[in-house]
Amino acid sequence: QKEVEQNSGPLSVPEGAIASLNCTYSDRGSQSFFWYRQYSGKSPELIMSIYSNGDKEDGRFTAQLNKASQYVSLLIRDSQPSDSATYLCAVPRGRDDKIIFGKGTRLHILP
Amino acid sequence: DVKVTQSSRYLVKRTGEKVFLECVQDMDHENMFWYRQDPGLGLRLIYFSYDVKMKEKGDIPEGYSVSREKKERFSLILESASTNQTSMYLCASSLEDTRIAFFGQGTRLTVV
């Protein structure tokens, strides 16, 4: 099993709808989880972090964490064309300081 | 704002050359990382460092080495560049407690 897995997409969502992005991880010792957004030709930027089970909301973004199922997701409400990007899930390993990234999900918001 | 600066945005080198990629961060972060990013393969960790003069291999260290003589600077060295090292190279740094990675702007290296 890969350490961090994401569906590569592309995921196409109509403007104004909810985009749902998923990520699974293998290290049960991981304590923090991050979502990064990467526009084409740019470097990744942090958009959400989550540390405990449940939901965390920040504006149009909601991160959801289920440690028992080793699953973290990102919901984007009222999707905008500017949300079109690749979204990377990142999970620092529990046993060392390495930060492992998923391959990313390409999101395309349809105008 | 955290700033991570990579020395070059674009670089073209010849096969067999020794290549240095430099990265500097200004936020006193303990951890620094080098990744390469290729289409379909995502971000792959080459090396990381959790302290001055300390380094740990990532998932794909072959053909690379690193140097961290000062806390703010982490260098990636391609000992003898090969065409399969053509890629986007991303440097990142993080605080030990938050583990949040901040990225530089990336260096697109082409080896011809």
Side-chain angles (χ1 to χ4, degrees), chain A residues 36 38 41 43 96 98-99, chain B residues 9 35 37 48 57 99 101 104:
Chain A
Y36 288 78
Q38 185 176 24
S43 54
D96 57 29
K98 290 182 182 179
I99 302 176
Chain B
R9 188 75 176 92
Y35 295 89
Q37 188 172 34
F48 76 106
K57 291 180 180 179
R99 319 288 293 279

Side-chain angles (χ1 to χ4, degrees), chain B:
Chain B
D1 273 358
V2 174
K3 195 158 186 181
V4 181
T5 304
Q6 295 182 228
S7 53
S8 304
R9 188 75 176 92
Y10 299 96
L11 214 49
V12 180
K13 295 293 182 180
R14 294 194 179 281
T15 301
E17 276 193 80
K18 190 169 186 176
V19 181
F20 293 85
L21 302 182
E22 306 286 346
C23 176
V24 177
Q25 49 96 2
D26 67 356
M27 284 302 291
D28 204 35
H29 284 177
E30 298 92 351
N31 298 335
M32 295 190 75
F33 307 83
W34 275 106
Y35 295 89
R36 62 178 283 178
Q37 188 172 34
D38 302 285
L41 297 177
L43 278 165
R44 293 182 291 167
L45 182 63
I46 304 171
Y47 267 97
F48 76 106
S49 168
Y50 52 89
D51 202 351
V52 176
K53 297 191 186 294
M54 306 301 288
K55 60 185 179 184
E56 290 284 342
K57 291 180 180 179
D59 298 320
I60 51 163
E62 296 79 19
Y64 303 94
S65 62
V66 290
S67 171
R68 193 168 181 197
E69 296 296 319
K70 293 185 179 181
K71 190 175 185 179
E72 66 271 20
R73 187 179 296 270
F74 192 35
S75 303
L76 180 69
I77 303 154
L78 285 66
E79 299 292 343
S80 177
S82 64
T83 54
N84 62 12
Q85 293 178 309
T86 292
S87 185
M88 171 68 85
Y89 289 87
L90 288 159
C91 173
S93 71
S94 73
L95 276 171
E96 187 173 342
D97 53 357
T98 66
R99 319 288 293 279
I100 296 171
F102 294 89
F103 285 87
Q105 76 277 28
T107 296
R108 185 164 293 281
L109 172 68
T110 302
V111 183
V112 298

Side-chain angles (χ1 to χ4, degrees), chain A residues 57-103:
Chain A
E57 189 174 315
D58 183 0
R60 295 186 297 111
F61 298 97
T62 299
Q64 299 175 318
L65 175 61
N66 183 325
K67 288 187 178 180
S69 300
Q70 295 175 251
Y71 177 95
V72 57
S73 64
L74 178 70
L75 301 178
I76 306 174
R77 289 183 301 282
D78 188 23
S79 297
Q80 302 295 310
S82 59
D83 295 326
S84 296
T86 296
Y87 289 80
L88 303 170
C89 174
V91 182
R93 295 206 308 209
R95 61 184 182 276
D96 57 29
D97 288 328
K98 290 182 182 179
I99 302 176
I100 306 300
F101 286 81
K103 291 184 180 180

Side-chain angles (χ1 to χ4, degrees), chain A residues 9-15 17-19 21 84 105-110:
Chain A
L11 176 65
S12 296
V13 173
E15 183 176 355
I18 296 175
L21 305 163
S84 296
T105 298
R106 282 182 296 136
L107 175 65
H108 182 48
I109 305 301
L110 304 170

